[in-house]
């Protein structure tokens, strides 16, 4: 009991957990904002082209409503019917064919039986977006792991130290103690899930809308395949339980590895196992023959959404078995087995580590490696300290994973209508007198055509002509009118640009601005990336100096020839390098995505072509502005890295530095991100994503 | 010309507390022992000599040049073993020495050969691939010592380098230091007086941040003659006497119990010792109290 309190009520640990929860909230909030962003951007574009927004919104809402109703009243009931009928017809066919491999047959029957349980289910409308946002956001799943894994690492480290040796000599210091520790791991996992996943749910409910917890989860189209009788609330609860189970499995596994196997071996084995699990889960398709590996996987349990949104029966020697049952058995079984193993191997057996020979091997390898890399320069050593001794490579790895998921989640499609595309093709570029007269002529023609069309309609009406013909004519009129609007908007735009050039003498072109708008204005997508960047900087550089402080080596190092200036310089070079790497990755991902999804047209155009950038007093191209913005963003990142380094310098241990840096940089940013607008000036994410417009 | 390290009127204050006052002496090649009670200012003196902290006053001259103006050039000449064991747990012994080599700006080739040499010297060759985190206290101390001797610096400043070593290792290392000190300046602070007695050319006694004596061991012993004496008697008598001389040492000999004390002049009834005086006696005489050395 005392052990439990010691492990769970440690203020540092609690603080860390809260910090993680806050980061998660900030990231999730950003995510929710990006979800709505596409719509919003489209709306604004519509507004720019002269559409009445109220009308547009009403239309959209009606469309959505219709789609929902269609799903609830038609698609879903039909689907259920279809599953049942399928089994009937197929079974006749199957019997006729008398096939040897009758998995297909059995599968259909089982499917029908499973869905039969859903009979009489009532699906109703509610805010589906809330459920989907919570379901889709998978960064939380990885953040969930941090606190329990850290707990487990500290437990494993305890067995090494004098404390471990001391406690083991006491009466209740072995099995009972280990039992309490295992319980602490489970509680920590549950706590972590409750806090992080819980905030996501609460935030989504508050911001996106009421998901109506009591309706059947199948009311959400994404859950059409679910064959469980669950309400939305029940889904949240079940997902949380499943996640807790998965997190516990991860934690126990790592504990066992770290406590009983030599660190080098433990890290390699755990990394290999986890990588294999991750890849099999991600790469195998649900319909593949070997989908067993996809579904019977801790990652499947951790992400939890497949469990509820898929339906599949695994083929066990010709017999179908629902993957959900199998997954539960696998993960639950793993949990039990690992707990027992932990109790026996860590609690009961004497401490000692497998694979101590690894040490020799590891050192040989390291020596070979050292010979290869000639790590005898100060720069090399400082790098070694940051990346290996302070576990920076882990931070890099995790940041890489987050970056990858960011890459996958960033989509920046902007819909461009055929008409406007045509206009850009024709008129983009310098604003010439020729183009302007062309537009004016065009407008005149259009005005004439509208007049004529109007006259024609009037005539038709007068004559009481064919209603179909009238409707056609009216449609054509509408088309002409919208073209007219488009061209007059174009004329205004050209006029404005020409005026600007006349006023200031700076060139300004007419260009397709979509991608630049997204680049030069702060938006949720890039903010999310910058949040990751901020986390990276804090975690990477927390221990730069604190590591030396921790081991009290400052005095020794400072007494050497190159122990002052040179050493600092080497460390700083690393800071600059790693910061550059991270900043380039984050902003690069965004740039490349923009290029792919939207495309930069005419990067050589003058910056003043955009109203946003007309404050720039000299003539520069958009390309230059992009470069300058990137440099500024790098400087901002460097500033924060420098701040973290300073904090590290005055901290006794890396953990203290981490907590302080989080409190200084992350807290205000996370609060600002989650909606506390008063803190905007302390919003470091805003600094990192500094744009030409701000 | 032999190297010379001159300390002149060196003073250090921590706030209003004077840890070192007006210290002057000159070091020449050979081992100089530094003796002083806990808190006498030994480590402070050494930190000033490695330019780790700001001094309050005075100067330190290397062959006539102030070390502060020499900067990195001075630190290139110095090997230092701090009193606190500052070593990275994650480094192996060999990697740590390589790192120190890089910090000392040694040539890459030299780093390798000298590291192996030093590991041999401190008898750690077969453990060099192990992480320092798994080392015993004495082993760490030896790594530290090896790191300070790496690059064969002209000036070695060793703050209790033999603390925590077993007798055999201590003798080995003492011999290594003596060997190194033949053409180098070594300042060695320790509480193990016998270490100094064996190898020191000169001994610096300090008390409360002030210099008491700076002399050869021989001269110190001569000075102590007639100031060390013994009471002989039964155990109870000796116990009673010890109340007066808490620092006195009790031993049992064939002719009964003996209490050896240091005092000037010796009290009545105390037999002066003449033949087996040690530096330890000198320490008893000067390191506590306020007796002046003449
Ligand atoms: N950073 C500091 N701030 C304030 N006082 C200090 C500081 N460092 C040392 N002192 C004081 O200076 C005096 C000398 O300390 P120093 O460490 O030099 O002693 P020492 O001779 O090395 O002792 P020991 O034999 O215990 O190592 C002590 O009284 C100590 O309390
Ligand atoms: Mg000291």
């Amino acid at each position: 009991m005392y052990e439990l309190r010691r492990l769970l009520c440690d203020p540092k640990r609690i603080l860390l957990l809260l910090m993680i929860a806050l980061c998660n909230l900030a990231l999730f909030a950003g995510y929710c904002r990006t979800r709505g962003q596409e719509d919003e951007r489209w709306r604004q574009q519509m507004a720019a082209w002269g559409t009445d927004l109220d009308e547009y919104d009403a239309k959209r809402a009606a469309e959505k409503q219709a789609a929902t109703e269609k799903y609830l009243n038609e698609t879903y009931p039909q689907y259920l019917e279809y599953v049942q009928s399928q089994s009937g017809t197929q079974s006749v066919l199957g019997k006729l064919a008398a096939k040897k491999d009758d998995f297909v047959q059995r599968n259909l029957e089982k499917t029908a039986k499973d869905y039969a349980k859903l009979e009489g289910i009532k699906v109703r409308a509610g805010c589906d977006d809330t459920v989907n946002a919570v379901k889709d956001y998978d960064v939380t799943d990885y953040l969930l792991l941090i606190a329990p894994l850290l707990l487990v690492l500290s437990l494993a480290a305890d067995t090494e130290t004098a404390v471990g040796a001391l406690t083991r000599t006491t009466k209740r210091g072995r099995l009972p103690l280990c039992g309490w520790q295992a319980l602490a791991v489970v509680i920590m996992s549950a706590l972590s899930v409750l806090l992080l996943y819980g905030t996501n749910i609460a935030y989504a409910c508050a911001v996106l809308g009421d998901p109506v917890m009591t309706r059947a989860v199948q009311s959400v189209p994404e859950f059409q395949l679910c064959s469980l009788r669950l309400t939305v609330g029940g889904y949240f609860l079940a997902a949380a339980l499943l996640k807790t189970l998965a997190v516990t499995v991860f934690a126990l596994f790592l504990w066992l590895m770290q406590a009983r196997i030599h660190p080098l071996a433990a890290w390699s084995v755990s990394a290999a196992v986890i990588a294999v699990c991750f890849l099999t889960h991600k790469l195998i398709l649900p319909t593949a023959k070997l989908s067993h590996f996809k579904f019977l996987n801790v990652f499947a349990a951790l992400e939890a959404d497949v469990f509820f949104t898929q339906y599949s029966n695994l083929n066990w020697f010709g017999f179908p078995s629902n993957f959900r049952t199998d997954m539960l058995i696998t993960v639950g079984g793993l949990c039990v087995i690992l707990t027992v193993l932990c109790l026996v191997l860590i609690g009961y057996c004497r401490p000692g580590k497998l694979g101590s020979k690894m040490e020799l091997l590891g050192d040989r390898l390291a020596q070979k490696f050292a010979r290869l890399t000639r790590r005898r320069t100060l720069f090399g050593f400082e790098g070694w300290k940051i990346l290996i001794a302070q576990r920076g490579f882990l931070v890099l790895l995790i940041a890489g994973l987050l970056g990858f998921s960011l890459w996958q989640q960033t989509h920046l499609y902007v819909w461009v209508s055929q008409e406007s595309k045509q206009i850009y093709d024709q008129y983009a570029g310098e604003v010439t007198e020729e183009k302007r007269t062309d537009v004016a002529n065009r407008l005149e023609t259009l005005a004439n055509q509208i007049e004529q069309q109007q006259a024609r309609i009037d005539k038709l009406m007068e004559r009481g002509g064919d209603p179909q013909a009238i409707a056609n004519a009216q449609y054509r009129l509408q088309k002409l009118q919208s073209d007219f609007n488009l061209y007059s908007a174009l004329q205004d735009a050209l006029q404005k640009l020409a005026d600007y050039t006349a006023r200031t003498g700076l060139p300004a072109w007419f260009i397709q601005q979509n991608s630049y708008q997204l680049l030069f204005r702060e938006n949720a997508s890039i903010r999310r990336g910058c949040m990751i960047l901020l986390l990276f900087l804090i975690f990477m550089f927390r221990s730069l100096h604190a590591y030396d402080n921790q081991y009290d080596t400052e005095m020794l190092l400072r007494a050497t020839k190159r122990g002052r200036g040179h050493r600092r310089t080497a460390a700083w070079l690393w800071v600059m390098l790693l910061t550059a790497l991270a900043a380039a990755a984050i902003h690069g991902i965004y740039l490349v995505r923009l290029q792919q999804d939207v495309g930069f047209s005419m990067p050589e155009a003058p910056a003043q072509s955009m109203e946003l950038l007309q404050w720039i007093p000299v003539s520069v191209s958009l390309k230059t502005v992009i470069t300058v913005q990137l440099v500024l963003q790098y400087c901002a990142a460097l500033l924060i890295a420098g701040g973290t380094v300073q904090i590290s310098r005055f901290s006794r241990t890396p953990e203290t530095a981490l907590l302080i840096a989080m409190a200084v940089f992350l807290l205000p940013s996370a609060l600002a991100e989650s909606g506390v607008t008063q803190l905007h000036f302390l919003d470091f994410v805003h600094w990192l994503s500094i744009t030409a417009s701000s | 010309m032999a190297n010379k390290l001159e300390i002149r009127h060196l003073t250090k204050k921590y706030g209003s507390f004077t840890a070192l006052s007006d210290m002057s002496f000159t070091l020449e090649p050979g081992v100089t022992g530094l003796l002083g009670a806990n808190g006498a200012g030994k480590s402070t003196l050494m930190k000033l000599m490695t330019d780790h902290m700001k001094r309050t006053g005075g100067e330190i001259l290397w062959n006539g040049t102030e070390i502060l103006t020499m900067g990195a050039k001075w630190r290139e000449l110095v090997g230092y073993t701090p009193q606190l064991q500052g070593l990275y747990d994650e480094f192996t012994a060999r990697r740590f020495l390589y790192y120190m080599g890089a910090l000392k700006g040694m040539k890459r080739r030299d780093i390798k050969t000298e590291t192996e040499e030093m590991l041999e010297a401190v008898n750690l060759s077969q453990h060099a691939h192990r992480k320092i985190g798994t080392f015993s206290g004495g082993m760490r101390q030896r790594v530290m010592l090896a790191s300070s001797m790496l690059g064969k610096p002209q000036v070695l400043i060793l703050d209790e380098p033999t603390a925590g070593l077993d007798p055999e290792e201590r003798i080995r290392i003492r011999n290594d230091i003596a060997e190194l000190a033949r053409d180098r300046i070594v300042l060695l602070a320790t509480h193990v007086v016998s270490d100094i007695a064996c190898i020191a050319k000169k001994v610096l006694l300090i008390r409360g941040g002030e210099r008491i004596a700076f002399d050869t061991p021989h001269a110190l012993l001569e000075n102590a003659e007639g100031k060390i004496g013994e009471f002989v008697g039964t155990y109870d008598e000796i116990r009673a006497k010890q109340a007066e001389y808490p620092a006195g040492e009790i031993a049992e000999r064939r002719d009964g119990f003996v209490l050896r004390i240091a005092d000037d002049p010796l009290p009545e009834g105390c037999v002066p010792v003449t033949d087996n005086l040690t530096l330890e006696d000198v320490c008893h005489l000067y390191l506590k109290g306020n007796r002046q050395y003449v």
Side-chain angles (χ1 to χ4, degrees), chain A residues 39 42 46 55-71:
Chain A
D39 275 351
W42 178 230
M46 299 299 282
E55 201 177 295
Y56 169 76
D57 285 345
K59 212 170 92 193
R60 277 296 304 251
E63 272 170 24
K64 234 174 142 182
Q65 176 79 20
T68 311
E69 258 159 35
K70 182 163 173 344
Y71 169 78

Side-chain angles (χ1 to χ4, degrees), chain A residues 76-201:
Chain A
Y76 189 66
Q78 277 168 9
Y79 171 73
L80 286 182
E81 260 167 50
Y82 167 79
V83 172
Q84 297 301 341
S85 67
Q86 193 72 351
S87 104
T89 50
Q90 278 280 329
S91 79
V92 177
L93 281 177
K95 269 172 200 140
L96 283 176
K99 265 174 82 197
K100 262 253 169 332
D101 172 25
D102 37 21
F103 171 72
V104 178
Q105 174 56 29
R106 290 192 187 127
N107 188 13
L108 283 168
E109 277 168 16
K110 178 156 174 36
T111 309
K113 219 165 82 195
D114 281 349
Y115 278 102
K117 277 184 249 152
L118 292 182
E119 236 198 276
I121 190 167
K122 291 259 179 341
V123 284
R124 315 188 252 144
C127 181
D128 296 345
D129 210 26
T130 307
V131 185
N132 284 328
V134 173
K135 170 176 84 68
D136 290 341
Y137 193 61
D138 56 5
V139 172
T140 301
D141 298 335
Y142 302 104
L143 292 177
L144 281 179
L145 290 171
I146 298 178
L149 292 193
L150 285 180
L151 171 67
V152 156
L153 284 182
S154 86
L155 280 179
D158 272 359
T159 43
E160 287 284 277
T161 59
V163 184
L166 192 68
T167 49
R168 283 189 70 81
T169 56
T170 59
K171 185 179 165 209
R172 298 169 54 80
R174 300 195 177 181
L175 207 51
L177 184 78
C178 186
W180 284 117
Q181 289 176 341
L183 188 64
V185 172
V186 176
I187 295 180
M188 191 57 154
S189 306
L191 217 63
S192 176
V193 173
L194 191 75
L195 206 61
L196 272 67
Y197 194 58
T199 9
N200 284 7
I201 296 172

Side-chain angles (χ1 to χ4, degrees), chain B residues 42-44 83 159-160:
Chain B
K42 303 184 294 296
S43 302
T44 304
Q83 186 175 12
D159 202 346
E160 303 191 26

Side-chain angles (χ1 to χ4, degrees), chain A residues 404-551:
Chain A
F404 180 70
S405 104
L406 186 76
W407 165 258
Q408 288 198 318
Q409 284 177 3
T410 310
H411 295 292
L412 301 156
Y413 298 113
V414 176
W415 191 81
V416 181
S417 73
Q418 206 54 42
E419 290 83 2
S420 58
K421 210 166 157 203
Q422 243 169 17
I423 284 186
Y424 282 118
D425 283 347
Q426 204 172 345
Y427 297 101
E430 235 172 308
V431 182
T432 56
E433 204 49 46
E434 209 176 305
K435 282 179 188 166
R436 289 178 59 199
T437 34
D438 197 39
V439 173
N441 291 343
R442 199 54 195 268
L443 272 172
E444 212 167 296
T445 330
L446 278 171
N448 282 341
Q449 281 175 343
I450 288 172
E451 218 164 274
Q452 284 166 14
Q453 189 70 10
Q454 190 64 54
R456 202 172 302 153
I457 291 172
D458 290 346
K459 216 182 274 169
L460 275 173
M461 299 271 247
E462 231 167 75
R463 264 196 276 140
D466 178 12
Q468 184 63 40
I470 294 180
N472 279 349
Q474 256 162 352
Y475 175 73
R476 195 167 143 58
L477 178 67
Q478 253 172 27
K479 182 90 186 47
L480 283 172
Q481 259 159 354
S482 87
D483 274 4
F484 184 84
N485 286 346
L486 214 59
Y487 275 92
S488 67
L490 174 63
Q491 193 180 34
D492 287 351
L494 292 180
Q495 183 62 47
K496 248 192 209 164
L497 289 170
D499 285 350
Y500 177 77
T501 308
R503 196 168 65 236
T504 59
L506 293 169
W509 296 6
F510 177 68
I511 52 166
Q512 163 72 284
Q513 299 190 354
N514 286 338
S515 50
Y516 299 108
Q517 290 283 358
L518 284 175
L519 187 64
F520 294 138
R521 271 220 180 104
E522 200 178 17
N523 67 61
S525 257
I526 189 65
R527 276 186 66 92
R528 213 141 50 86
C530 287
M531 192 76 194
I532 292 176
L533 181 59
L534 182 64
L535 280 175
F536 172 83
L537 294 176
I538 291 178
F539 272 87
M540 199 68 187
F541 301 126
R542 71 188 198 282
S543 53
L544 195 79
H545 291 301
Y547 181 67
D548 293 338
N549 295 343
Q550 183 183 21
Y551 289 119

Side-chain angles (χ1 to χ4, degrees), chain A residues 160 262-263 359-360 363 366-367 370-371 373-378 381-382 384-385 388-391 547-548 551-565 567, chain B residues 47 50-53 72 75-76 78 80-92 94-96 98-100 102-105 108-109 111-112 129-131 134 144 147:
Chain A
E160 287 284 277
H262 182 268
E359 190 135 23
L360 252 178
D363 196 58
Q367 269 179 28
R371 224 166 279 149
T373 51
R374 289 212 155 258
R375 199 176 39 244
R376 282 174 220 166
T377 57
L378 210 46
F381 266 114
E382 292 302 327
W384 191 88
K385 272 166 74 180
I388 311 287
Q390 303 165 22
R391 304 274 177 266
Y547 181 67
D548 293 338
Y551 289 119
D552 245 329
T553 53
E554 199 62 22
M555 196 150 46
L556 182 68
L557 303 188
R558 276 171 54 84
T560 59
K561 179 185 175 196
R562 312 176 64 179
R564 299 184 187 187
R567 187 164 61 96
Chain B
K47 284 181 205 166
T50 55
D51 182 23
H52 181 64
M53 357 181 243
R75 296 198 301 276
E76 191 178 5
V78 175
Y80 175 44
T81 305
Q83 186 175 12
L84 285 172
Q85 288 185 355
L87 291 171
Y88 300 111
D89 283 354
E90 286 83 2
F91 280 58
T92 63
R94 181 173 286 122
R95 181 173 286 131
F96 182 71
Y98 274 38
Y99 181 44
M100 288 304 290
L103 280 170
K104 289 181 179 207
R108 291 180 181 196
R109 217 170 339 110
I111 292 181
K112 189 175 160 58
H129 65 274
R130 281 175 52 194
K131 291 224 175 107
T134 67
M144 181 76 88
S147 84

Side-chain angles (χ1 to χ4, degrees), chain B residues 229-249:
Chain B
E230 286 175 346
F231 290 106
V232 186
T234 64
Y235 184 73
D236 290 336
E237 284 170 9
I238 295 300
R239 283 297 292 177
K241 270 280 178 228
Q242 209 209 3
E244 286 173 50
Y245 302 95
E249 202 179 341

